[in-house]
Amino acid sequence: MHISSLLWHGFQTAHYSAFFAPQNGFRHFLHTQNADKPFRGLYTLNAFDASLLIPYFIVMILLAIYGVHRYQLAWTYFRYRKNYNPEPPQHFAELPYVTVQLPMYNEQFVVDRLIEAVCAMHYPKDKLEIQVLDDSTDETKEVARAIVDRYAALGHPIVYIHRENRHGFKAGALEEGLHIAKGEFIAIFDADFVPPPNWLMKVIHHFAEPEIGMVQTRWGHLNRNYSMLTQIEAILLDGHFVLEHGARARSGDYFNFNGTAGMWRRQAIIDAGGWQHDTLTEDTDLSYRSQLAGWKFKYLPDIECPAELPIEMTAFKTQQARWAKGLIQTSIKVLPVVFRSKAPLRIKIESVYHLTANLSYPLMVIMTALLIPAMIIRFYQGWFQMLLIDFPLFTASTLSIAVFYVMSQRELFPRTWKKTFLYLPFLMAVGIGLTVTNTKAVMEAIFGIKSAFARTPKYSVAKKGEKSKAGKKYRKRLLLSPWIELAIGTYFALAIVYTFINQNYFTAPFLILFVMGYWYTGLMSLFQGRFDRWKSGGANTKDESSPKPFPVGV
């Protein structure tokens, strides 16, 4: 039967039933959803509907596969829990020479904090070298040079190295610093990190095992309680550093250096072919090449190195888009080599999951486009049939996110982890809201579109209510993506209205997450920083000193 005549027949039947049936009560709702379905026996699947439902279910199944993998990571973490020993099995009889590299680009508001922390680290000065690798193009050059000169005059082994160009971006700076580095071991800290004084002494002895090529420590969060956004960012990162890194490291799978708060054996970098800058995640790229060369990595979650989380949505989006694009670039570059290698099949499969996880963002875009038409078509099949199919897929994909992050918080905060449930709806909503910018980044990687390394602005704020001049100077400006997000959020809001009109209440909570996510990321991108300007009387509404953002997925 044609869909238009079907709808008209259904309207007539529903109108007739509504005239004689009682119109309130839960029993009536269940009756109308099941027993009195006006379209029961009338609807037959046609080619048009199938063309929507088949790709919809394919996407849902693919997302569910990645969701099942999250369950598998959590299971692996606990299965191999006894494989972790925080103490090094042996110690150096004599401490080796260490070079600490501090790559930075336009970081004038945090450079003092970083250098102060690094110079306060416990390690013999005659066995230590600190390189400030500065690619800055603004006042950071003068600020950083003055700070380095001050600490050098106090006897600290610190040098300032400035490049006139950003060739290779961060990877290029690290490579140039490595050429003149004196250390057998290379520790790296980004500008927003504040390593504790005992960090070097806790990490170095793990390299007494000659097969260890890299040691990664866990990121902490200086400004976790700054806002709802930083709380969500902290939970997202905790999931990665607790369960993902923990599971892969303990089970013997490949895992990656995170670009900072880690230490390398110089020879492990050289054997891998050195730093390369053909991807935006040079750290993951080098990690896989080094492990394929035979080096072993260690992860030390008990050693925390705190850092500053982005406090503005635009900065967070820029960071996430860079990571999403870089990992897909790395997967295209590295996975063929992994599959040609003699690595066990288990490692090859896990590498695919690890490096292609961001493909879930374009899959989410497809699901977003098909969700409402599929819901309308399947509404006439009955809600029980919808739940019978959707609930297992929902459990595999969406519920796995909740389980994954709750478990990570339980490991870190055994007394207060239950608070995580309050953040879960917002965490999932933000993940949905990142779909637009991250999909663009992933598609750029797939089609080989190159872009610059977009730094994440550092604000030098830790406590709630603090303000930073960095926000005005380094704030990113997004153009089209916030409006797309708001439009998609409105689309889902109208879909919620439709579900209530048709008494299909079961899908409404799921759709609310989409509305929250797209509206939150869109509005926060548009209005971030405007409140400060309104409070200051509209001053500096157009900051000419703010550099244009690099076009990385935003």
Side-chain angles (χ1 to χ4, degrees):
M1 183 180 292
H2 194 273
I3 189 67
S4 59
S5 59
L6 176 65
L7 290 172
W8 173 245
H9 180 82
F11 172 77
Q12 289 177 313
T13 307
H15 183 73
Y16 179 83
S17 300
F19 184 82
F20 293 101
Q23 297 299 307
N24 48 42
F26 186 67
R27 171 182 266 179
H28 168 70
F29 168 70
L30 291 178
H31 194 61
T32 57
Q33 293 295 307
N34 197 18
D36 274 353
K37 208 59 166 167
F39 301 97
R40 187 179 302 281
L42 296 177
Y43 176 77
T44 56
L45 187 67
N46 55 54
F48 176 77
D49 293 352
S51 68
L52 293 175
L53 291 179
I54 291 174
Y56 170 76
F57 281 117
I58 291 174
V59 168
M60 288 290 288
I61 291 169
L62 290 174
L63 290 173
I65 290 172
Y66 280 103
V68 170
H69 178 249
R70 278 189 287 268
Y71 289 121
Q72 188 265 333
L73 278 175
W75 176 77
T76 302
Y77 173 83
F78 288 103
R79 179 187 179 188
Y80 294 98
R81 194 167 188 169
K82 295 181 179 179
N83 286 5
Y84 171 64
N85 182 9
E87 297 299 325
Q90 56 194 62
H91 288 68
F92 286 109
E94 181 180 350
L95 287 174
Y97 206 106
V98 172
T99 296
V100 179
Q101 292 186 322
L102 310 178
M104 60 183 64
Y105 172 70
N106 294 350
E107 315 280 10
Q108 63 174 297
F109 299 103
V110 294
V111 60
D112 195 0
R113 182 180 67 185
L114 170 67
I115 294 177
E116 179 183 5
V118 172
C119 288
M121 296 175 81
H122 303 154
Y123 207 80
K125 290 183 180 180
D126 61 334
K127 297 290 184 70
L128 182 65
E129 173 192 38
I130 304 170
Q131 294 181 337
V132 176
L133 306 174
D134 187 15
D135 284 358
S136 296
T137 57
D138 66 357
E139 299 92 334
T140 304
K141 292 182 292 184
E142 290 74 25
V143 173
R145 189 186 297 274
I147 295 170
V148 169
D149 290 344
R150 184 171 79 243
Y151 279 96
L154 294 173
H156 294 281
I158 186 170
V159 294
Y160 178 79
I161 302 169
H162 181 262
R163 299 195 305 168
E164 294 298 330
N165 62 74
R166 291 191 72 200
H167 176 70
F169 308 109
K170 180 182 176 181
L174 293 171
E175 184 70 14
E176 288 199 19
L178 187 65
H179 289 326
I180 59 174
K182 302 174 184 177
E184 179 185 354
F185 299 95
I186 313 295
I188 301 172
F189 299 100
D190 281 350
D192 51 333
F193 279 71
V194 185
N198 59 356
W199 192 93
L200 285 175
M201 292 301 295
K202 280 190 171 184
V203 170
I204 190 61
H205 289 292
H206 287 275
F207 287 97
E209 297 179 89
E211 70 273 16
I212 300 299
M214 191 280 297
V215 173
Q216 175 69 52
T217 61
R218 181 171 58 86
W219 293 8
H221 315 295
L222 291 170
N223 56 340
R224 183 187 196 102
N225 298 319
Y226 182 85
S227 66
M228 173 69 77
L229 178 61
T230 56
Q231 286 277 9
I232 293 170
E233 291 170 353
I235 295 172
L236 290 171
L237 285 172
D238 289 344
H240 170 71
F241 278 95
V242 175
L243 293 186
E244 281 193 68
H245 266 3
R248 292 184 180 122
R250 296 176 185 184
S251 64
D253 289 328
Y254 290 171
F255 72 98
N256 63 292
F257 170 57
N258 292 100
T260 177
M263 184 184 291
W264 282 87
R265 189 186 297 268
R266 184 191 190 115
Q267 194 60 45
I269 299 176
I270 295 171
D271 290 350
W275 292 102
Q276 298 174 7
H277 49 83
D278 51 350
T279 74
L280 292 177
T281 47
E282 72 293 322
D283 42 18
T284 303
D285 173 28
L286 177 62
S287 297
Y288 270 80
R289 288 186 282 114
S290 184
Q291 289 169 107
L292 286 168
W295 289 98
K296 304 296 183 184
F297 286 10
K298 262 195 172 185
Y299 174 55
L300 305 176
D302 291 340
I303 302 177
E304 180 180 346
C305 189
E308 183 180 313
L309 295 162
I311 62 173
E312 294 191 345
M313 180 60 71
T314 50
F316 177 55
K317 281 183 176 179
T318 301
Q319 179 194 69
Q320 295 298 308
R322 186 181 75 241
W323 291 350
K325 182 173 183 176
L327 281 178
I328 297 300
Q329 288 175 324
T330 301
S331 72
I332 295 171
K333 174 182 178 179
V334 167
L335 282 181
V337 183
V338 172
F339 275 93
R340 290 195 300 268
S341 73
K342 296 181 180 180
L345 180 61
R346 171 180 54 83
I347 289 180
K348 293 178 180 180
I349 294 174
E350 181 58 35
S351 299
V352 173
Y353 277 116
H354 180 195
L355 296 178
T356 65
N358 287 298
L359 290 177
S360 60
Y361 288 107
L363 291 175
M364 282 286 294
V365 167
I366 298 173
M367 191 189 75
T368 297
L370 296 177
L371 182 61
I372 305 305
M375 184 185 69
I376 294 173
I377 293 170
R378 298 177 65 217
F379 169 74
Y380 301 111
Q381 300 171 355
W383 66 268
F384 180 76
Q385 289 81 352
M386 292 178 65
L387 289 180
L388 188 65
I389 300 174
D390 286 14
F391 186 73
L393 297 176
F394 174 83
T395 303
S397 57
T398 307
L399 187 61
S400 67
I401 297 173
V403 172
F404 188 82
Y405 290 108
V406 167
M407 287 179 65
S408 71
Q409 296 303 291
R410 189 174 184 273
E411 286 294 289
L412 284 179
F413 310 106
R415 295 184 178 180
T416 61
W417 65 274
K418 293 180 181 178
K419 293 181 181 179
T420 311
F421 287 103
L422 299 175
Y423 295 101
L424 279 180
F426 304 99
L427 183 147
M428 289 189 283
V430 168
I432 292 170
L434 292 172
T435 298
V436 174
T437 52
N438 283 3
T439 296
K440 182 175 182 291
V442 168
M443 299 311 293
E444 286 178 353
I446 291 173
F447 289 105
I449 300 173
K450 299 294 183 181
S451 54
F453 184 101
R455 61 179 285 278
T456 305
K458 315 302 189 304
Y459 301 96
S460 188
V461 295
K463 298 178 181 179
K464 193 170 185 177
E466 282 186 340
K467 294 182 177 62
S468 172
K469 296 178 181 178
K472 295 180 180 179
K473 184 170 182 59
Y474 295 135
R475 178 171 292 126
K476 303 293 183 182
R477 289 190 280 268
L478 306 182
L479 300 176
L480 186 60
S481 63
W483 297 104
I484 295 175
E485 289 157 2
L486 292 177
I488 297 175
T490 303
Y491 169 67
F492 278 103
L494 295 175
I496 293 173
V497 174
Y498 173 85
T499 62
F500 273 88
I501 291 174
N502 289 277
Q503 299 180 342
N504 187 13
Y505 305 120
F506 293 99
T507 58
F510 183 66
L511 297 176
I512 288 173
L513 287 177
F514 282 79
V515 176
M516 287 172 53
Y518 285 115
W519 278 358
Y520 178 67
T521 55
L523 290 172
M524 289 289 284
S525 298
L526 289 174
F527 291 104
Q528 198 78 70
R530 296 183 186 273
F531 297 110
D532 294 338
R533 292 200 291 270
W534 291 338
K535 291 178 182 177
S536 61
N540 196 28
T541 56
K542 187 176 181 180
D543 186 0
E544 296 296 338
S545 67
S546 179
K548 292 182 179 180
F550 292 107
V552 184
V554 286

